[in-house]
Amino acid sequence: MTETVRNVTWWDSLRPYLEKGPLIAFTLGLSSGFPIAMIGATLTSRLAQDGLEKSTITAFTLGFLVYNLKPLWAWAVDSITLPLLGRIGQRVSWLIFAGILVVAAVANLAFATPTTDLTGTIVAAILVGFAGATFDIVIDAYRIEHLKPYQLGFGSGMSQYGYRIGNVGAASIALVVAARYGWAVGYLACAAFVLPAIITGLVIGEPERHREPTKRRGLGEMLNAVAGPFAEFFRREGAFIILAFILIHKIGDTLANIVLRLMLNDLGFSNDEIAIYDVGVGFWAYLVGVFVGGGLYAKLGLKKSVLISLFLMAISNASFALLAGAGHSNWGLAGTIGFENFASGIGSVAVVAYFSALCDLRFTAAQYALISAAASVVGRLLTATTAGGLVERFGYVEFYWGTTLIAFPGFLLFWWMSRSGLVDRSIGSAGIDGEGDARAGDRA
C-alpha cells in the first residue's frame, strides 16, 4: 500500500462514488442503518419519555452487544447454503432471510410495553439486535465482495451515506409518527427500510468476487468452517496489535453517543428540536464529512486519512462537554452535532475501508463480523455497565471530558502502526487485486 500524495480535483474524488460497486454499497447501507436505530437513540427516547431511570435505560445497550457476538454465527453466512432459498445464490438468499428476521423482530418490539413488562421489552430489543446483526453480516460481505480494492474507500463512503440516511430516516420517522400515533405505529412504519438491500440483491445477483462455500460433509470440515476465519486472521503478523487498535479506537465515540439522548432530554430539548438539530443537522454534516473523507482518501491515501479522522473524532467529544455546560441552546446543539458528525463522516470512509481491506475473501462474512464486532465491544460494555452511573455521579460535563481523553490511545496506536509498516502488511485479499499488484488505497 504505497502512500503517495495525489494531484486530483474534487471532481476526481466524486466520480468514483458513481461507479457500480459504490452505488450498490449505498443501497445496502440504506437497509443496514435502520435496525440499530430501533434499539439505539429511538429506544432511548422512548424509554426516557416513559420515565425510566438512566441506569436502566443505558442497560438496554446490552441489545447492542448482540452485534458484538455476531462472529459466533457469521461463519454460517459463508458456509451454509439455505434450503430452497439458497438456489438463487448464497448472498442473495441470506439477504432475504435476514431481512425477514428483521421485520419480525421490529414488529415484536413495536408492541412491547416497557412500563409494564420491562423484561419482555429487553428480550424484544435483544431479538432486534440478533436479527439486525445477521442482516449486517450479509450486507457487509455482499458490499466487500462487490468492491474492487481501489473502490474500498469510496464504497465505504457510499455505504455510510446509505447507512446514515437509513438510520436517520428511521429515527426521524419513528419520532414524528410516535408523537402523533404512538410508538407501535412509529416502529412499524420503519420496516420498509429492509427493501433496498433485498431489491439490490435480487436485481444485481451474487457479488463479483464471491467465492462459493465448500460443501461440508464431515465434522472436521464443519469445525474448519467455524475456526478457519479466526485462525487465518491470527496467523498474520501483528494480529494482536491490529486487534488492539480495532478494540480501542472507538471507545470514546461509543460512550459519547449512547448517552447523548439522555443529556438532550435532561436539557429540555423536545422531540421536534431533536429531530431538527440532532437528526437533521447531524445528517447533513455527516454527508459533508463523508464527501470530505473521500477527498482526503484520494489525495492523502489510507493511512493519513485514518489518522486525521481519528484525531477529529477524539476532539469532537469535547464539544459535548461544552454543550452540557451551556445548557439548552439550539445553536449550541447544532454546532456540537455538526462537528461531531462531520468528524465521524470522515472517519467512516478511511477506517471502514481499512477494516474491509483486512478481510480474506474466503471468509469475508466471518472476518468482517469479527472486526466490526470488536470495533465497538469495549465501548458498549462500558456503556451498559457504567455510563449511566457515571453521568449520575459526575454529571455530563465531566463525563464527556473523560470520553475525550480515552479517545486518544487509538490515534497514537495507529500512528505507530503506520510508522512501523504494520498497516501495509496487514491487508488481506479483499484489499489486493487478482494479480496481487494493487492494494486498497493505492489508486483513486
Side-chain angles (χ1 to χ4, degrees):
M1 188 191 311
T2 304
E3 292 285 348
T4 58
V5 177
R6 307 168 179 82
N7 269 326
V8 293
T9 66
W10 283 106
W11 169 245
D12 293 325
S13 299
L14 176 63
R15 184 168 48 196
Y17 286 111
L18 303 180
E19 296 176 358
K20 178 183 175 182
L23 289 175
I24 290 171
F26 172 77
T27 60
L28 296 172
L30 287 172
S31 295
S32 178
F34 116 83
I36 204 164
M38 299 295 94
I39 58 173
T42 302
L43 185 57
T44 298
S45 295
R46 178 181 180 182
L47 298 175
Q49 291 173 10
D50 283 342
L52 275 69
E53 295 180 354
K54 294 181 180 63
S55 57
T56 300
I57 294 172
T58 55
F60 268 83
T61 57
L62 290 170
F64 288 130
L65 288 176
V66 179
Y67 279 81
N68 300 107
L69 298 175
K70 61 187 178 181
L72 297 178
W73 69 90
W75 63 270
V77 176
D78 281 329
S79 303
I80 295 179
T81 300
L82 294 172
L84 300 179
L85 198 59
R87 295 176 181 176
I88 63 176
Q90 180 77 6
R91 295 299 185 222
V92 177
S93 62
W94 274 95
L95 272 176
I96 296 171
F97 176 68
I100 293 171
L101 287 181
V102 168
V103 172
V106 169
N108 183 49
L109 181 58
F111 293 105
T113 53
T115 54
T116 59
D117 185 11
L118 189 60
T119 301
T121 305
I122 293 173
V123 171
I126 291 173
L127 290 175
V128 173
F130 172 77
T134 305
F135 205 29
D136 265 7
I137 292 168
V138 190
I139 284 174
D140 288 330
Y142 194 94
R143 169 181 59 82
I144 293 169
E145 291 171 354
H146 257 301
L147 295 170
K148 297 177 175 64
Y150 80 93
Q151 294 177 318
L152 287 175
F154 307 109
S156 299
M158 287 295 277
S159 175
Q160 293 303 308
Y161 270 133
Y163 180 93
R164 183 50 64 100
I165 292 172
N167 186 272
V168 170
S172 300
I173 288 171
L175 281 172
V176 173
V177 174
R180 291 156 178 80
Y181 304 104
W183 283 107
V185 179
Y187 270 69
L188 293 174
C190 298
F193 279 92
V194 301
L195 294 177
I198 292 175
I199 292 172
T200 296
L202 291 172
V203 172
I204 301 298
E206 290 294 284
E208 297 173 5
R209 305 177 79 195
H210 175 60
R211 299 181 182 179
E212 284 297 320
T214 302
K215 299 297 182 182
R216 309 295 173 184
R217 295 185 175 85
L219 179 60
E221 291 178 326
M222 184 60 70
L223 290 175
N224 184 62
V226 178
F230 304 98
E232 192 282 330
F233 182 86
F234 286 107
R235 281 197 298 265
R236 300 183 194 180
E237 177 187 354
F240 287 96
I241 297 174
I242 297 166
L243 181 61
F245 167 72
I246 295 169
L247 286 169
I248 69 173
H249 86 284
K250 202 177 180 181
I251 295 176
D253 186 66
T254 302
L255 285 168
N257 280 283
I258 202 66
V259 178
L260 176 60
R261 286 292 178 89
L262 294 177
M263 182 176 74
L264 298 184
N265 186 69
D266 285 348
L267 292 179
F269 289 98
S270 66
N271 275 6
D272 287 344
E273 287 173 326
I274 293 172
I276 292 171
Y277 295 101
D278 179 24
V279 180
V281 173
F283 169 76
W284 291 108
Y286 188 85
L287 298 190
V288 172
V290 169
F291 178 75
V292 172
L296 291 174
Y297 183 89
K299 287 177 177 291
L300 303 179
L302 179 62
K303 290 182 286 189
K304 289 180 181 179
S305 58
V306 170
L307 280 171
I308 291 171
S309 69
L310 291 173
F311 178 78
L312 290 176
M313 286 191 291
I315 63 173
S316 71
N317 283 0
S319 64
F320 289 115
L322 297 176
L323 176 63
H328 189 291
S329 166
N330 287 340
W331 284 109
L333 179 59
T336 297
I337 295 301
F339 179 45
E340 194 275 334
N341 280 272
F342 175 76
S344 294
I346 294 175
S348 69
V349 174
V351 175
V352 175
Y354 175 54
F355 289 169
S356 300
L358 286 172
C359 295
D360 185 310
L361 287 171
R362 294 172 297 172
F363 316 110
T364 312
Q367 287 191 345
Y368 196 82
L370 171 66
I371 293 165
S372 60
S376 59
V377 65
V378 177
R380 285 174 178 171
L381 281 171
L382 290 174
T383 299
T385 57
T386 65
L390 287 173
V391 168
E392 289 175 344
R393 181 175 179 182
F394 298 107
Y396 290 110
V397 175
E398 289 79 5
F399 174 82
Y400 277 114
W401 282 121
T403 65
T404 303
L405 291 176
I406 64 175
F408 275 98
F411 167 81
L412 295 173
L413 179 57
F414 192 83
W415 174 81
W416 178 85
M417 289 167 58
S418 298
R419 293 292 299 271
S420 68
L422 182 57
V423 172
D424 297 334
R425 298 191 297 273
S426 64
I427 299 300
S429 59
I432 307 173
D433 71 10
E435 302 300 321
D437 60 359
R439 291 173 178 263
D442 278 351
R443 295 183 285 166

